[in-house]
Amino acid sequence: MIDAYADPGTPERRGPARYLWWLVRRQPGRSAGGALLGSVWMVLLAATPYLLARAVDDGLAAGDRPALVGWSVALFGVGMFNAWLSIMRHRTMTRVRMDANFRTVKVVVDHAVRLGARLAPQTGAGEVATIGVGDVQTISQSLTVVGPGVGSVVAYAVVAALLLAVSPELAAVVLLGMPVVVLVIGPLVRRLARREAEYRELQGLLTARIGDLAGGLRVLNGLGGKGLFADAFREDSARLRARGYRVGAVTSWMHALGVGLPMLFLAVVGWLAARQAARGEITVGELVAVYGYVAVLVHPLAFVVECGYQISRGLVAADRVVRFLRLTPAPDPGGADAPAEPAALYDPESGVRVLPGRLTALAAARPADAAAVVERLARYAPSEATWGGVRLDAIALTQIRARILLADHEADLFAGTLRQMVNAEGRSGAALDEALHAAAATDIVQALPKGADSLVAAQGRDLSGGQRQRVRLARALLAAPEILLTVEPTSALDAHTEATVAARVKAVRAGRTTVVTTTSPLVLAQADTVVLLADGKAAATGTHHGLLATDPEYRSLVTRDTEEGPQ
């Protein structure tokens, strides 16, 4: 199967059928092996009635004991060998499905990473979640056609050939049976595809609404809108349930016909064979063989119906994946190189200039104004910001991301051990300890039962708000970027911890460019340069103590923060 760190290849985006075929082509040996094992397995199922017929005609009817024993031993050997083939077929097809599953997950995740900030405007989180939870499973299951599907067609042809040696009339009926089944099932497959597409569309919307509800429950409670949202969610759930019933109705008909049609069709074959045996046109052994062939044909016919069902669902799921893969990331017109040496960042829109190698603090009555500045300086928002005199949007984005890090105080924390959560890049233990110390997060490690190797829930749900903030800060410090931009890194900390963090961050980032957005006097006192923002513009620049003495607006802002400081 695909290595978790291997290149999944360039996925096919021209259509769902092409995407499914791409998944098959990415594992040609395994796919061919599954088809071969499935074909041989089903053909040997058909060989069993033939061997049984030979034992009856050559052994029982002729009274030839050695022949009876020989054919019986052959029957037993074929059965044992086919049992082993069945195991290998199942293992191979499991690997085919798992490879398709993991490969699809990887291409979706890789594309989501490439989209970056462009993901949210183009699709909802619910759509991505539904692809990961449901569509990848459906796609992988549809590849069943590679093994049993191919084997069913081969076995059907082999049985028809064997019946041709017994009776051309029976062979003709068998050969006509498959097209009849396909004609009956075809309209249901198309209807199922439509129903599945409708259901899947509504499911994605509902999943997105669940995410919105989980993220904004407190706000809804405060505004008194929880009841309205719950009513809307209940209505959407009822519509989804109704669509699900419609999908289930079509699916039940397909499964019923998948079992009933083959049995009805093969009952006709058995009835014709019995009449021929009664007229003496075929022997007793051949009659036994025909009944065996009839029983064996139930499997390939049922598999054909099942494969039609799985492929129909797989095409719907693959269509969602292909549509996601067609989303385009923001174009990167930048081709220039970043400054070779540390250089100043400048945002013309606000007038903020960040000198290299210094700790700069942005203070604003509206935190969103300061956050907007750092987003422009990190090139997460379109702007005319420059780095060393060169516009940021003219510099290759890969170089910017490698040297400038924007650390949001609400950045995602992925489930895993605390060590993995902070040290995703696998830096040395000493570097990890230094980052945790600088973020005053050593006590978090000590409080966990297994230290840094203790499991932490996604988004740090089993940590307090202040602990999550310090873990995020430790992660940013451990990355050790040339330029670190942080948004309110200490807003959830008490005064003592905040003062400790501010002093340690200044020490650990000495000689490198660091920007913090804050109105806390404890952090501002550590800054080499403080920029006061008024209506998103740089209104004053200086040191914390200098601005306190000369700027009433700054003094009012800092004094208010002191009175309303962290609890």
Side-chain angles (χ1 to χ4, degrees), residues 44-408:
L44 288 182
L45 286 178
T48 301
Y50 172 79
L51 295 174
L52 186 60
R54 301 296 299 174
V56 171
D57 284 345
D58 298 348
L60 286 177
D64 188 343
R65 184 178 296 273
L68 177 61
V69 172
W71 287 113
S72 299
V73 170
L75 188 63
F76 176 78
V78 168
M80 293 298 293
F81 179 68
N82 216 24
W84 176 80
L85 273 182
S86 179
I87 295 172
M88 299 308 297
R89 174 193 63 83
H90 189 272
R91 287 182 178 179
T92 303
M93 290 310 304
T94 298
R95 290 190 174 96
V96 168
R97 290 191 294 268
M98 294 304 292
D99 184 279
N101 189 314
F102 294 148
R103 196 175 299 276
T104 299
V105 168
K106 193 163 178 60
V107 298
V108 168
V109 170
D110 286 351
H111 193 62
V113 172
R114 283 192 294 271
L115 289 170
R118 291 271 296 175
L119 175 62
Q122 297 188 73
T123 188
E127 177 66 15
V128 180
T130 307
I131 288 175
V133 173
D135 289 337
V136 293
Q137 297 289 343
T138 304
I139 288 171
S140 63
Q141 191 63 36
S142 70
L143 295 193
T144 300
V145 70
V146 173
V150 173
S152 298
V153 175
V154 172
Y156 196 84
V158 169
V159 169
L162 291 173
L163 281 174
L164 185 63
V166 176
S167 167
E169 180 184 357
L170 295 177
V173 174
V174 169
L175 288 173
L176 289 173
M178 183 76 79
V180 171
V181 171
V182 172
L183 287 174
V184 173
I185 295 297
L188 286 176
V189 171
R190 290 192 293 271
R191 179 177 297 181
L192 178 63
R194 292 195 301 270
R195 296 287 186 265
E196 280 278 351
E198 294 170 357
Y199 178 82
R200 176 61 183 77
E201 189 79 28
L202 188 56
Q203 185 184 37
L205 293 174
L206 192 61
T207 305
R209 182 159 291 182
I210 292 174
D212 294 340
L213 176 61
L217 190 57
R218 287 186 177 180
V219 177
L220 286 171
N221 270 330
L223 298 176
K226 186 175 72 171
L228 293 174
F229 198 97
D231 291 340
F233 184 81
R234 190 176 297 110
E235 292 176 4
D236 287 344
S237 298
R239 284 198 294 270
L240 180 63
R241 183 176 63 247
R243 295 285 176 85
Y245 288 154
R246 296 172 70 180
V247 172
V250 180
T251 302
S252 64
W253 273 106
M254 287 194 65
H255 283 300
L257 291 174
V259 176
L261 273 182
M263 295 300 296
L264 179 62
F265 161 67
L266 297 174
V268 173
V269 177
W271 179 75
L272 292 174
R275 287 178 59 84
Q276 289 181 352
R279 293 195 297 263
E281 297 174 4
I282 59 175
T283 66
V284 174
E286 289 174 333
L287 176 62
V288 172
V290 169
Y291 277 122
Y293 296 148
V294 168
V296 168
L297 279 177
V298 171
H299 293 285
L301 283 174
F303 269 123
V304 167
V305 175
E306 178 67 18
C307 287
Y309 167 69
Q310 295 294 352
I311 290 175
S312 174
R313 299 182 70 236
L315 288 172
V316 173
D319 182 61
R320 308 294 298 191
V321 172
V322 168
R323 285 161 58 182
F324 177 77
L325 295 177
R326 287 174 179 168
L327 299 179
T328 55
D332 182 16
D337 289 329
E341 301 294 333
L345 285 170
Y346 176 62
D347 175 37
E349 186 173 335
S350 64
V352 171
R353 183 178 298 276
V354 178
L355 298 179
R358 298 173 65 85
L359 173 58
T360 302
L362 305 181
R366 293 183 303 190
D369 292 341
V373 173
V374 296
E375 285 182 359
R376 292 194 292 269
L377 293 177
R379 197 180 148 184
Y380 280 104
S383 71
E384 298 179 359
T386 63
W387 184 13
V390 181
R391 282 183 56 136
L392 279 171
D393 55 14
I395 299 174
L397 185 60
T398 53
Q399 297 187 35
I400 294 175
R401 294 291 176 259
R403 296 172 61 183
I404 301 178
L405 173 62
L406 173 58
D408 192 335

Side-chain angles (χ1 to χ4, degrees), residues 280-564:
E281 297 174 4
I282 59 175
T283 66
V284 174
E286 289 174 333
L287 176 62
V288 172
V290 169
Y291 277 122
Y293 296 148
V294 168
V296 168
L297 279 177
V298 171
H299 293 285
L301 283 174
F303 269 123
V304 167
V305 175
E306 178 67 18
C307 287
Y309 167 69
Q310 295 294 352
I311 290 175
S312 174
R313 299 182 70 236
L315 288 172
V316 173
D319 182 61
R320 308 294 298 191
V321 172
V322 168
R323 285 161 58 182
F324 177 77
L325 295 177
R326 287 174 179 168
L327 299 179
T328 55
D332 182 16
D337 289 329
E341 301 294 333
L345 285 170
Y346 176 62
D347 175 37
E349 186 173 335
S350 64
V352 171
R353 183 178 298 276
V354 178
L355 298 179
R358 298 173 65 85
L359 173 58
T360 302
L362 305 181
R366 293 183 303 190
D369 292 341
V373 173
V374 296
E375 285 182 359
R376 292 194 292 269
L377 293 177
R379 197 180 148 184
Y380 280 104
S383 71
E384 298 179 359
T386 63
W387 184 13
V390 181
R391 282 183 56 136
L392 279 171
D393 55 14
I395 299 174
L397 185 60
T398 53
Q399 297 187 35
I400 294 175
R401 294 291 176 259
R403 296 172 61 183
I404 301 178
L405 173 62
L406 173 58
D408 192 335
H409 67 297
E410 294 183 351
D412 289 324
L413 295 173
F414 299 102
T417 65
L418 183 67
R419 186 185 306 277
Q420 294 170 333
M421 188 174 282
V422 176
N423 193 17
E425 299 180 3
R427 298 185 184 274
S428 67
L432 174 62
D433 292 340
E434 182 182 14
L436 290 170
H437 175 75
T442 306
D443 64 312
I444 302 174
V445 178
Q446 295 171 346
L448 294 173
K450 295 183 180 179
D453 295 314
S454 300
L455 291 175
V456 179
Q459 305 302 339
R461 289 191 300 269
D462 41 7
L463 301 176
S464 69
Q467 288 175 328
R468 289 194 294 271
Q469 196 167 53
R470 285 180 283 160
V471 166
R472 291 185 177 101
L473 179 59
R475 182 174 61 183
L477 294 174
L478 185 60
E482 177 185 326
I483 300 175
L484 175 61
L485 311 174
T486 63
V487 178
E488 299 286 348
T490 62
S491 58
L493 306 184
D494 61 75
H496 173 72
T497 306
E498 188 175 29
T500 302
V501 168
R504 291 178 180 177
V505 167
K506 182 175 183 178
V508 79
R509 293 286 302 172
R512 286 176 289 186
T513 307
T514 307
V515 177
V516 298
T517 69
T518 184
T519 54
S520 167
L522 298 172
V523 179
L524 294 168
Q526 296 292 337
D528 298 310
T529 303
V530 177
V531 179
L532 173 65
L533 297 174
D535 296 325
K537 308 293 183 180
T541 302
T543 63
H544 170 62
H545 295 293
L547 290 175
L548 275 179
T550 61
D551 195 299
E553 184 178 353
Y554 180 79
R555 184 165 53 250
S556 174
L557 176 65
V558 172
T559 302
R560 183 184 64 184
D561 189 78
T562 303
E563 295 172 351
E564 300 174 356

